[in-house]
């Protein structure tokens, strides 16, 4: 499985610093302006799960990919993300702005009668997108601004107040209906194929003998995308004419040829980093894909 993004990963990648209390504070919370984390010079949002919740007020035009679905959003959208579903953003315009907050489930666990993951917008299979008009944008932005102001304060009970602000946003959204036309993407097969390809390519190049190719089968990718393996296979075959396994094998064989040609790693090391438990399995795979043994190819 591809690594889940942790809070530590988030701070390291976005800001190159770490809050002092992040290890001790299992109920971590923070709030940010979107433009401070996205755009030129900032790392792209990777397609992966997170181990924290996120609420985003996003302005501009984007495509949000989660599981096997894609939402194309215009104007202002309120989005809710849970730790169970991998996602990423694809900006389609240069005018992105807004706010987002992140928090661990423990931030609420002692203060709500039920788990935050039971709320409709956070529930697995739920619809997390709400399109806002100008007045709604102004209202929700105002709540985010209060959170931003409070997080910087020395008020002893500021996190109790912030919990109330998050609850206010949640109930504001619950009074609305998720925006159905967000979920009518014209070519879901093409999108799931594109996300699969991104996940596959992100595992390469192999740059160290200790690095390991981890998503090795169609089932691995389906589990990561939270879709049924048959659905993934149908989508990729309908889009490319090849099976999921054929794409994986071709990419692994290509990386194997590159490592044999351009490194001095021994065949056991190459076998290991490409995910094979035994060099004999790698030899059999390579010969089937290339009609040559690894030793003959290198020689």
């Amino acid at each position: 499985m591809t690594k889940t993004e942790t809070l530590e990963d988030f701070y390291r990648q976005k800001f190159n610093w770490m809050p002092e209390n992040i290890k001790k504070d299992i109920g971590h919370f923070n709030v940010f302006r979107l433009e401070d984390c996205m755009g030129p010079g900032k790392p792209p949002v990777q397609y992966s799960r997170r181990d924290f919740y996120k609420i985003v007020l996003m302005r501009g035009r984007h495509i949000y990919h989660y599981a096997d679905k894609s939402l194309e959003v215009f104007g202002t959208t309120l989005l809710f993300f849970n730790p169970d579903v991998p996602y990423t953003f694809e900006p389609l315009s240069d005018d992105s702005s807004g706010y987002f907050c992140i928090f661990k489930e423990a931030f609420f666990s002692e203060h709500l009668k039920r788990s935050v993951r039971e709320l409709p917008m956070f529930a697995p299979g739920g619809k997390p997108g709400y399109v806002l008009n100008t007045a709604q944008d102004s209202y929700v932005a105002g709540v985010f601004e209060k959170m931003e102001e409070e997080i910087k304060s020395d008020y002893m009970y500021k996190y109790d107040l912030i919990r109330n602000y998050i609850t206010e946003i949640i109930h504001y959204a619950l009074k609305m209906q998720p925006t159905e036309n967000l979920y009518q993407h014209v070519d879901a097969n093409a999108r799931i194929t594109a996300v699969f390809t991104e996940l596959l390519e992100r595992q390469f190049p192999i740059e160290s003998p200790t690095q390991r190719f981890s998503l090795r089968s169609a089932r691995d990718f389906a589990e990561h995308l939270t879709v049924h393996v048959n659905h993934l296979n149908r989508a990729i075959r309908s889009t490319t004419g090849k099976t999921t396994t054929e794409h994986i094998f071709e990419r692994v064989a290509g990386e194997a040829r590159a490592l044999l040609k351009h490194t001095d790693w021994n065949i056991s090391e190459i076998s290991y980093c490409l995910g094979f438990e035994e060099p004999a399995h790698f030899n059999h795979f390579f010969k089937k894909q290339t009609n040559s043994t690894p030793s003959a190819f290198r020689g």
Side-chain angles (χ1 to χ4, degrees):
M1 292 288 293
T2 297
K3 180 183 177 184
T4 296
E5 181 182 311
T6 64
L7 280 171
E8 290 87 347
D9 295 330
F10 168 81
Y11 282 105
R12 191 178 299 111
Q13 293 164 9
K14 294 293 185 185
F15 305 107
N16 199 29
W17 62 273
M18 200 77 61
E20 292 181 2
N21 64 352
I22 196 169
K23 291 292 187 184
K24 295 182 294 182
D25 187 7
I26 62 171
H28 182 81
F29 170 88
N30 215 335
V31 60
F32 306 91
R33 290 180 181 263
L34 199 63
E35 48 267 43
D36 292 337
C37 303
M38 294 180 65
K42 297 293 184 180
V45 180
Q46 296 292 330
Y47 187 89
S48 64
R49 289 183 176 87
R50 278 75 180 168
D51 71 350
F52 49 88
Y53 289 82
K54 182 186 287 188
I55 303 175
V56 183
L57 176 71
M58 176 176 284
R59 305 185 186 104
R61 184 182 175 202
H62 308 80
I63 296 180
Y64 157 52
H65 307 295
Y66 74 109
D68 64 331
K69 300 178 178 63
S70 296
L71 312 182
E72 187 165 352
V73 298
F74 302 85
T76 303
T77 311
L78 183 60
L79 295 161
F80 296 83
F81 305 116
N82 70 58
D84 297 321
V85 178
Y87 63 86
T88 188
F89 292 104
E90 181 183 338
L92 301 178
S93 62
D94 297 325
D95 57 348
S96 299
S97 67
Y99 302 86
F100 70 95
C101 64
I102 59 175
F103 55 91
K104 300 283 277 189
E105 185 165 1
F107 186 68
F108 276 105
S109 62
E110 297 179 3
H111 303 270
L112 288 180
K113 292 183 179 179
R114 60 181 183 177
S115 170
V116 66
R117 70 176 57 238
E118 295 178 30
L119 294 166
M121 62 276 289
F122 290 123
K127 295 178 178 178
Y130 301 75
V131 173
L132 307 185
N133 61 31
T134 301
Q136 291 166 333
D137 177 343
S138 178
Y139 179 88
V140 176
V143 180
F144 270 103
E145 287 166 6
K146 290 177 184 178
M147 288 193 285
E148 189 178 35
E149 179 180 347
E150 208 57 54
I151 196 72
K152 298 174 183 176
S153 78
D154 296 324
Y155 178 47
M156 182 182 300
Y157 304 108
K158 65 182 180 181
Y159 289 110
D160 292 330
L161 190 52
I162 286 169
R163 267 185 287 271
N164 289 338
Y165 289 144
I166 296 177
T167 303
E168 183 176 352
I169 290 176
I170 287 170
H171 284 288
Y172 191 75
L174 286 174
K175 290 180 179 181
M176 299 185 282
Q177 293 296 319
T179 307
E180 291 294 332
N181 62 8
L182 288 178
Y183 302 90
Q184 298 170 3
H185 195 272
V186 293
D187 192 351
N189 287 341
R191 277 311 318 155
I192 195 171
T193 300
V195 172
F196 159 77
T197 302
E198 178 190 343
L199 284 175
L200 179 60
E201 287 299 325
R202 197 189 307 159
Q203 298 185 86
F204 301 102
I206 302 291
E207 297 176 329
S208 161
T210 60
Q211 185 180 342
R212 195 141 202 236
F213 177 60
S214 57
L215 294 177
R216 301 187 64 246
S217 70
R219 192 168 298 279
D220 290 339
F221 281 92
E223 183 180 343
H224 191 83
L225 290 165
T226 63
V227 299
H228 194 281
V229 66
N230 292 343
H231 178 50
L232 175 65
N233 285 330
R234 282 194 300 268
I236 291 176
R237 183 182 280 279
S238 69
T239 305
T240 69
K242 295 180 180 180
T243 68
T244 311
T245 300
E246 285 174 330
H247 283 283
I248 297 169
F249 282 3
E250 286 177 5
R251 189 61 184 86
V252 172
E255 189 70 10
R257 286 192 293 267
L259 293 174
L260 289 165
K261 184 176 181 181
H262 299 295
T263 75
D264 59 0
W265 308 347
N266 63 47
I267 290 173
S268 292
E269 289 174 321
I270 294 173
S271 170
Y272 174 81
C273 69
L274 290 175
F276 294 91
E277 297 301 330
E278 299 290 341
H281 297 163
F282 172 58
N283 287 343
H284 177 75
F285 166 84
F286 192 83
K287 187 170 184 178
K288 189 172 182 179
Q289 293 294 312
T290 67
N291 294 318
S292 172
T293 64
S295 298
F297 179 86
R298 172 171 269 177

